[in-house]
Amino acid sequence: MDEFFLKAAFRLRERWSTLICRPFRVALWSMQGMKIGAGSAFTSLHVTWPHQVSLGRGCRIEHGVYFHYDGIYSPGPCIVIGDDCFIGSGSEFNISKRIVVGNECLIASGCRFVDHNHGMEMGTLIGKQEGRADVIVIEDDVWIGANAVILEGVTIGTGAVVGAGAVVTHSVPAYAIVGGVPAKFIRSR
């Protein structure tokens, strides 16, 4: 009998956040302009401009994910996550232009998406130079391994796999497997 109560207590503790707290979290973020699809679940998020974030249906987002729109107020959303995506803990979306993540994508813990960079011209301080920025596109059914970094202007094709710790500086074709620093083609799926 004790085993039954232990299992029940575990399940209740495990589901508490989703069953009881989720509606309040969704209401709070929605009032601030975030678009949240039905069935999406998350615990603690860090968001600079909530109206810049759009989550699709059925997304699962672990704790500590940071949605950072890098700029002053402007109409949104610029961070668009498709349906049925998973985003692991500690991932960061540092966006000044736009990122679009397709449907059914798996993004492991600690991934970074940065769509802008600093200028490096000689004769002017780096921090004073205008940087470049370009849209990041992650197509459907993509798996991005832990601690990968995706930089400006990159498109990751449908069904592609990015290895853990990779730094992706160039676009990845559909169904390719890439890895390394900088990321290089390994093979096709």
Side-chain angles (χ1 to χ4, degrees):
M1 195 63 131
D2 287 337
E3 186 177 334
F4 171 77
F5 287 113
L6 288 174
K7 286 181 181 180
F10 174 79
R11 289 290 177 212
L12 181 61
R13 183 176 52 91
E14 180 183 54
R15 300 287 182 211
W16 169 262
S17 177
T18 303
L19 296 174
I20 306 301
C21 298
R22 183 187 177 282
F24 296 108
R25 272 193 217 99
V26 169
L28 176 68
W29 287 113
S30 295
M31 287 188 320
Q32 296 178 63
M34 185 184 291
K35 293 173 180 62
I36 303 170
S40 287
F42 51 87
T43 55
S44 64
L45 295 178
H46 304 283
V47 184
T48 55
W49 295 100
H51 74 285
Q52 291 290 357
V53 179
S54 174
L55 300 177
R57 294 182 319 271
C59 291
R60 293 184 350 259
I61 301 175
E62 289 187 337
H63 66 281
V65 172
Y66 186 26
F67 292 116
H68 177 76
Y69 176 72
D70 190 28
I72 60 172
Y73 180 88
S74 64
C78 290
I79 301 171
V80 180
I81 311 295
D83 296 337
D84 300 311
C85 290
F86 171 83
I87 301 174
S89 65
S91 291
E92 176 184 348
F93 294 78
N94 190 334
I95 304 301
S96 65
K97 200 160 187 118
R98 185 171 177 83
I99 183 170
V100 178
V101 177
N103 300 323
E104 303 284 343
C105 290
L106 302 173
I107 299 171
S109 297
C111 290
R112 304 280 183 263
F113 300 85
V114 183
D115 75 345
H116 54 283
N117 210 336
H118 296 284
M120 294 186 289
E121 301 286 325
M122 288 297 294
T124 306
L125 296 172
I126 291 173
K128 303 287 184 195
Q129 296 182 39
E130 188 170 325
R132 61 184 192 268
D134 204 355
V135 175
I136 296 173
V137 177
I138 311 297
E139 295 180 354
D140 296 342
D141 189 33
V142 169
W143 175 20
I144 300 175
N147 299 312
V149 177
I150 313 300
L151 297 176
E152 78 275 357
V154 167
T155 296
I156 299 179
T158 300
V161 176
V162 175
V167 177
V168 183
T169 58
H170 294 37
S171 292
V172 176
Y175 303 104
I177 299 173
V178 299
V181 179
K184 293 191 178 355
F185 178 81
I186 296 172
R187 65 181 175 93
S188 292
R189 283 180 57 199

